Amino acid sequence: MKVFIKTYGCQMNERDSESVLALLLGHGYLAAANEAEADVLIVNTCSVRGKAEDKAIGKLGLLAASKRKHPHRIVGAIGCMAQRRGTALLRLLPHLDFVIGTHRLDRLPAALDAVRLAAEPIVEIETSTGPRPDLAGHSPGKTSAFVNVLYGCNRHCAYCVVPLVRGEEWSRSMTDIETEVRHLTQTGVREVTLLGQSVLRYGVAQPVEENDDRLGSDYQTPFPRLLQRLQNIRGLKRIRFASAHPEGCTPELACAMRELPSVCEHLHLPLQSGSDRILAGMGRGYTSAEYVAAVARLREAAPDMALTTDVIVGFPGETTADFDATRALMDEIGFDNAFIFKYSPRPGSRAADWPDDVEDSEKRRRNQILLQEQDARCRRIYQRQIGRIAEVLVDGVSVRNAQRWTGRTRDNKIVLFDPAPDIIPGDQIMIRIESARAQTLYGSITESKVPCQCT
Ligand code: SAH
Ligand code: SF4
Ligand code: F3S
């Protein structure tokens, strides 16, 4: 039986898909190279905006329809929209074979067995928000890997569905994380990205009872100390993490970014809005001044740090003055890249009860303005890289141009270069940047091996 997983949504979903695939391979399934040859088709869904759900529903509809031609095909949904809609998804898509939520991915092999015997679709949605089973399987042959460190989210930003579909926050133990990363480096991984919706809250909140075994320093150590612990892993060259929140940008984090050679100079720090009124309405837990102060603290420690962000336009009540405050702040900070989203009301979130009062055409206009301004900023920042000699971690042959190889700088910029015979994926090399396009750098190798900094 061959299985194919189509993934929508964030890095956490990508990571889930990877571990689900590893789980199924362990149960005797094979990986299909494409949808057409698959016997089992799984769509890992996202719920964060209405459009994300529409895309997954459209895809599931097409795949379910393909069962007419391939009657033995199994098609189902997993992930955030599956969690949010549960059985109701079957009213929309009656030909699905299963719907499995975010807390039940470990049940997939058993659910697939059950599908073959059952007359009805299999639905597995766990609504209790406690810890979910840890799936740690990875695909082989990578130089970079995602590693979960914090599940769920307790922030409950007014617009956001994630806490509803991912449950309460809980941190994995440092020992489990370290073991996973050590194992990854033994399989050739050189870079890890530590994942959490608000990753700097690692070790902060544990939804535990008094005698829970998830109490104690292995679970309740602040994030910078986790970085310190991973720094010592042999063969690990780079550590990244996402997403950050200003609250966690403490002097200790700044110190870790300055002192730990593996920790990269890049931070994804969602801003959402530059207006204090809107930030308060969103319940983000910081003001624009606090955001600026957090950035200043980190830039003092790592002056070349690249910053990327997320922004929402058209949140309920956002006036043109609020929007202008966002524009001004984005300009002041000078983000290396930004993802701009039009506000989309999410059922069950607090803001869903407020009037969605910014016209769609106006949301589109604001979205376009921010995109254009960011594009110009991006070009300036990328042009400034010309002449610099950058450390690049080699990914391998470029998918777009087989003559060229690709890699990423420590500040997460893509670099294309002509390969050299002694270079393999996972090498750290030095490249002189010679030209730049909107979001790509081009250069040539000046040094093909960088001495390992690990102990
Ligand atoms: N946990 C991350 C964000 C995860 S969702 C963080 O807080 O840093 C990714 C992005 O989607 C958010 O940063 C936000 O910009 C956007 N987003 C979330 N809910 C949204 C909604 N209802 N409408 C539009 N954009 C939204
Ligand atoms: Fe959503 Fe806010 Fe949690 Fe991010 S921090 S996942 S935006 S509730
Ligand atoms: Fe991620 Fe979308 Fe779920 S952003 S956590 S896949 S709702």
Side-chain angles (χ1 to χ4, degrees), residues 8-13 45-48 52 80-81 102 161-162 165-166 197:
Y8 295 99
C10 65
Q11 295 168 328
M12 223 159 254
N13 257 19
T45 59
C46 171
S47 230
V48 78
C80 296
M81 183 180 70
T102 47
V161 78
V162 172
V165 292
R166 289 276 174 175
Q197 293 297 345

Side-chain angles (χ1 to χ4, degrees), residues 152-157 159-163 197-198 245 272 284:
C153 185
N154 282 1
R155 280 201 190 274
H156 293 277
C157 301
Y159 51 79
C160 188
V161 78
V162 172
Q197 293 297 345
S198 201
H245 183 282
Q272 313 301 2
R284 284 291 291 174

